[in-house]
Amino acid sequence: YFDIPPSEADKMDPQQRLLLEVAHEALEHAGIPAHSLRHSQTGVFAGACAGEYAYLATADLSQVDSWSATGGALSIIANRVSYFFDLRGPSVTVDTACSSSLVAIHLACQSLLMGDSNLALAAGVNLMLSPAVTRSFDRLEAMSPSGQCHSFDARADGYSRSEGCGVAVLKRLSDALSSGDRIYALIRGTAVNQDGATNGLSAPSGLAQEEVIRLALEDGGVDAEQVSLIEAHGTGTPLG
């Protein structure tokens, strides 16, 4: 369906295929014919941080071929979508660990506001293809022995990993209104920062997280008192 020959598909990270499928579904759901976007300033911003397939597919050097490099590169997760749909806007795979898809949303919004994109696909994709990362997190005592996640709870003893893919189709509000699009949500403001030096590379900073929330509220022109629902990243670990 996506014009990928079998020899190339064999060496292709399934995260690439999954994002292709969900991106197509997202455009269908948005009522946008995919062919209408050819040569358009449509950006693709995909959050992804697991490159396990590349390691697995190249462990035996005798099996490495001309498709192995593009098949395993994280950059191609976004680029594959732009290539198939013939999109001419920015095409970026974002890896900021747990926040990858949220930072993809931020970059997509910035691209729309700057005029680099007139439409943007903001996405996240994750598949667990090796036990290595899970094993490392287990040694870090970040994995829940019970397999249950109790975020912000005295019972917090770790979290459970999961897989999935999601794509949001984004436009500037004025463009969405003029096109008569079905609008599900308005992104009023976004912000990104980093924890900086903490008591460990993977340890959070409460002050830095307070600051990024403050910046997002300022960017959106929203007072904290106006916020009625909060969705938080809670690792379910004692540290988190």
Side-chain angles (χ1 to χ4, degrees):
Y1 185 89
F2 293 107
D3 297 325
I4 300 168
S7 56
E8 183 176 4
D10 285 344
K11 297 300 173 67
M12 184 174 135
D13 187 334
Q15 293 178 126
Q16 296 180 21
R17 183 177 65 251
L18 185 58
L19 183 58
L20 274 172
E21 294 173 356
V22 179
H24 198 290
E25 291 174 2
L27 290 172
E28 286 183 330
H29 190 73
I32 301 174
H35 63 81
S36 70
L37 298 178
R38 291 185 69 247
H39 298 181
S40 68
Q41 286 300 114
T42 297
V44 179
F45 302 86
C49 59
E52 296 167 333
Y53 191 81
Y55 171 77
L56 295 171
T58 57
D60 183 351
L61 287 179
S62 67
Q63 299 301 309
V64 173
D65 61 19
S66 58
W67 298 118
S68 297
T70 54
L74 282 177
S75 61
I76 304 300
I77 290 176
N79 295 171
R80 181 83 68 176
V81 174
S82 301
Y83 173 79
F84 177 75
F85 293 110
D86 200 1
L87 311 176
R88 302 299 172 87
S91 188
V92 181
T93 302
V94 182
D95 178 7
T96 58
C98 305
S99 62
S100 297
S101 58
L102 286 176
V103 175
I105 290 276
H106 171 76
L107 295 177
C109 290
Q110 293 296 310
S111 183
L112 289 167
L113 293 172
M114 293 289 292
D116 293 333
S117 301
N118 293 322
L119 185 143
L121 302 179
V125 62
N126 187 63
L127 291 176
M128 299 182 296
L129 304 176
S130 162
V133 174
T134 299
R135 174 60 173 161
S136 178
F137 287 171
D138 185 49
R139 295 297 298 266
L140 188 64
E141 297 184 350
M143 303 299 298
S144 170
S146 65
Q148 298 181 353
C149 184
H150 299 286
S151 298
F152 313 117
D153 193 299
R155 295 172 295 169
D157 62 355
Y159 84 114
S160 298
R161 301 184 68 206
S162 61
E163 301 177 313
C165 180
V167 177
V169 180
L170 305 180
K171 284 185 178 182
R172 291 181 287 268
L173 179 61
S174 57
D175 292 339
L177 290 172
S178 64
S179 299
D181 292 326
R182 177 175 48 192
I183 300 173
Y184 285 103
L186 173 63
I187 300 174
R188 294 188 177 275
T190 65
V192 171
N193 74 355
Q194 221 281 343
D195 287 324
T198 61
N199 62 347
L201 181 62
S202 59
S205 164
L207 292 176
Q209 293 186 14
E210 286 180 21
E211 180 62 19
V212 79
I213 293 170
R214 187 178 298 110
L215 291 172
L217 291 170
E218 291 176 359
D219 185 56
V222 177
D223 292 328
E225 291 80 7
Q226 295 175 263
V227 177
S228 58
L229 182 141
I230 297 172
E231 181 176 342
H233 168 63
T235 58
T237 62
L239 178 63

